Amino acid sequence: MNYARYLTAMSAARETSAIRVLSEVVNRAPKSLISLAPGFPNPNTFPFKTASITLKSGKTIQFGEEMMKRALQYSPSAGIPELLTWLRQLQVQLHNPPTIHHPASQGQMEICVTSGSQEGLSKVFEMLINPGDNVIINEPVYSGTLQALQPMGCNIINVSSDEFGIIPDAVKEILSKWTPEDSQNPEKNTPKFLYTVPNGNNPTGTSLTTERKKEIYKLARKYDFLIIEDDPYYFLQFSKSWAPTFLSMDVDGRVIRADSFSKVLSSGLRIGFLTGPKPLIERVVLHTQVSTMHPNTFTQLLVSELLHQWGEEGFLAHVARVIDFYRKQRDALLAAADKWLSDLAEWHVPDGGMFLWIKIKGISDTRPLIEEKAIKNQVLMVPGYAFFIDRSALTPYFRASFSLASPEQMDVAFQRLAQLIKESL
């Protein structure tokens, strides 16, 4: 693949930071090395000495003095080596990407750690989008993605979707404006990428089926666009058999996948990771070198120590417990919806994630109901307009999260909402 054709001028112009490279040499070097190169602050001046973190299992993670010095110091821009190694093994085990053994220049699988998947995606967008570029998404879409894309001046093309995700025929219809050969002509401005949240989509909770993924990937090959697979709810799929990912189908090296530990380990630790073709992931790392410099060393070491202590089996056992919790939470919210909203609204059962996407019957605009009346009655939800390209358009939808509230609180919330809907009709 010709990756250069996807890059913005800014991304293509990025060069390796000589100081960052030297910093990585220092991190790998034996203690015999006398380093007068990088401007590392002397860790003996730091006020922190040791740390001990107790897990819910009763086991601990110990940061002795030497580990603490490392945790508080600069680290490689792509992530600390031991965490990258663990993540690479995890991706191979879960997805078995066909690009593992590709040559580096031809889309070989690469990984970098990011300060949460949102930061990684923001850098991916900066790497790919010029003003006027065409990109494909499916509404309703995570509002953070819209807020990242819209200031970049790209043409956001919405493709239709239903309870099973993006409709491939709708993608075909959009692409019919071009020929496959047009992708080699920059003046034709063919879509540069398709962005999707394939599992437990925020806000709809829908998941893209395997067959649809295969059809979409074939279209990506035919029209030579990239696929950005934003999958923060991959570890919150409620079905026992997880659907194959775009990464697992990626024979070309055209998928950039964003993963997150926010939903299963901690949102505050801000640890995510990107997996994709080496030439593109390297561009993201070059951006990191001159922005955040590197993800947080302390939280990377903490997560790495935990994952190595657990092993892959222990991690997936933890994920299974998290899934069980959120499945029960989902069922509680569905029970409350069935009890109070069955005659007033409609919805699809979420396949994963944390959200229920509800359409109110007989109300064209939920904004005043959700933003004003519900809040006055001590119920907080998100009106649907937040998830659409045109935020001024009227929508009968709203999003309810089942992550934090107790079943009793969910019941009370929907009871209050039902009364407000009746009063508004």
Side-chain angles (χ1 to χ4, degrees):
M1 288 183 63
N2 176 21
Y3 293 108
R5 84 170 193 84
Y6 299 102
L7 300 178
T8 63
M10 179 183 291
S11 182
R14 293 193 186 281
E15 296 183 356
T16 302
S17 163
I19 291 177
R20 283 270 76 206
V21 171
L22 288 173
S23 299
E24 295 181 15
V25 171
V26 170
N27 279 297
R28 296 193 304 266
K31 291 186 178 181
S32 58
L33 176 74
I34 300 173
S35 174
L36 303 179
F40 282 24
N42 193 309
N44 293 321
T45 66
F46 297 159
F48 310 99
K49 188 175 182 180
T50 62
S52 178
I53 294 91
T54 303
L55 305 177
K56 288 182 177 179
S57 65
K59 294 182 179 180
T60 60
I61 295 174
Q62 301 289 341
F63 279 28
E65 289 189 37
E66 289 305 309
M67 176 75 91
M68 196 64 167
K69 287 178 181 179
R70 184 185 170 204
L72 298 174
Q73 191 55 276
Y74 293 125
S75 59
S77 294
I80 60 172
E82 59 266 53
L83 181 56
L84 285 170
T85 297
W86 201 97
L87 294 175
R88 185 171 284 106
Q89 292 171 347
L90 180 71
Q91 296 299 68
V92 170
Q93 181 65 29
L94 293 178
H95 311 289
N96 192 26
T99 54
I100 298 168
H101 302 298
H102 281 204
S105 62
Q106 296 177 29
Q108 182 185 81
M109 185 193 91
E110 186 59 281
I111 292 180
C112 70
V113 182
T114 57
S115 300
S117 62
Q118 180 93 1
E119 191 241 2
L121 287 164
S122 178
K123 286 184 163 70
V124 168
F125 294 151
E126 184 272 351
M127 172 178 68
L128 300 176
I129 296 174
N130 290 302
D133 280 348
N134 289 315
V135 302
I136 300 173
I137 67 167
N138 59 299
E139 290 182 312
V141 65
Y142 171 52
S143 58
T145 298
L146 289 176
Q147 289 158 3
L149 291 176
Q150 287 176 321
M152 292 182 157
C154 55
N155 300 318
I156 304 174
I157 303 172
N158 175 47
V159 61
S160 299
S161 58
D162 57 22
E163 66 267 35
F164 304 110
I166 293 174
I167 301 170
D169 283 343
V171 181
K172 288 180 185 177
E173 184 178 348
I174 288 170
L175 295 172
S176 67
K177 300 173 185 175
W178 296 274
T179 66
E181 293 73 28
D182 287 342
S183 64
Q184 305 310 312
N185 184 350
E187 293 182 2
K188 295 294 185 179
N189 199 19
T190 57
K192 192 168 272 187
F193 64 77
L194 178 146
Y195 166 92
T196 189
V197 179
N199 293 298
N201 180 41
N202 178 4
T204 62
T206 57
S207 295
L208 193 54
T209 64
T210 301
E211 286 307 310
R212 289 190 177 187
K213 286 179 185 173
K214 290 178 180 178
E215 289 186 61
I216 291 167
Y217 189 81
K218 286 180 182 177
L219 290 169
R221 300 191 76 188
K222 184 176 181 179
Y223 288 88
D224 200 23
F225 58 82
L226 302 175
I227 295 174
I228 299 179
E229 184 174 34
D230 181 11
D231 213 353
Y233 305 103
Y234 178 75
F235 296 117
L236 290 186
Q237 297 182 67
F238 299 139
S239 61
K240 291 186 178 180
S241 59
W242 293 354
T245 59
F246 280 114
L247 184 65
S248 72
M249 305 173 185
D250 188 21
V251 294
D252 296 334
R254 65 174 66 253
V255 173
I256 303 174
R257 176 178 171 81
D259 280 284
S260 173
F261 283 140
S262 291
K263 312 303 186 288
V264 292
L265 294 184
S266 161
S267 51
L269 291 178
R270 306 310 301 141
I271 296 293
F273 50 106
L274 294 176
T275 308
K278 188 177 180 71
L280 297 183
I281 297 300
E282 286 178 339
R283 292 284 114 192
V284 173
V285 174
L286 291 180
H287 189 172
T288 299
Q289 288 181 354
V290 296
S291 57
T292 53
M293 293 183 65
H294 60 80
N296 185 295
T297 315
F298 188 100
T299 56
Q300 284 188 86
L301 277 170
L302 178 60
V303 168
S304 181
E305 289 291 308
L306 174 66
L307 295 175
H308 280 89
Q309 187 179 115
W310 272 348
E312 186 181 304
E313 185 177 340
F315 169 68
L316 292 177
H318 170 75
V319 168
R321 291 189 292 271
V322 174
I323 289 172
D324 185 58
F325 170 82
Y326 283 110
R327 186 188 292 112
K328 290 176 181 176
Q329 289 288 102
R330 176 201 65 177
D331 292 346
L333 190 65
L334 288 171
D338 286 335
K339 180 178 178 181
W340 298 108
L341 302 177
S342 58
D343 295 329
L344 302 171
E346 55 189 44
W347 55 87
H348 297 293
V349 175
D351 300 311
M354 298 177 168
F355 309 108
L356 183 62
W357 184 241
I358 299 177
K359 179 182 180 181
I360 300 176
K361 300 175 183 178
I363 292 180
S364 61
D365 181 18
T366 56
R367 190 185 300 228
L369 175 70
I370 301 301
E371 285 191 337
E372 300 170 16
K373 297 177 182 178
I375 290 177
K376 287 180 182 178
N377 281 267
Q378 300 293 294
V379 178
L380 187 63
M381 291 162 293
V382 184
Y385 76 87
F387 305 98
F388 289 89
I389 299 166
D390 181 3
R391 289 166 58 93
S392 65
L394 304 183
T395 172
Y397 291 93
F398 71 93
R399 191 195 76 178
S401 171
F402 48 81
S403 61
L404 290 177
S406 68
E408 294 76 19
Q409 289 174 321
M410 296 176 192
D411 186 79
V412 172
F414 278 177
Q415 181 183 17
R416 293 176 183 173
L417 180 62
Q419 183 59 40
L420 293 173
I421 293 172
K422 292 173 182 176
E423 293 172 0
S424 301
L425 290 173

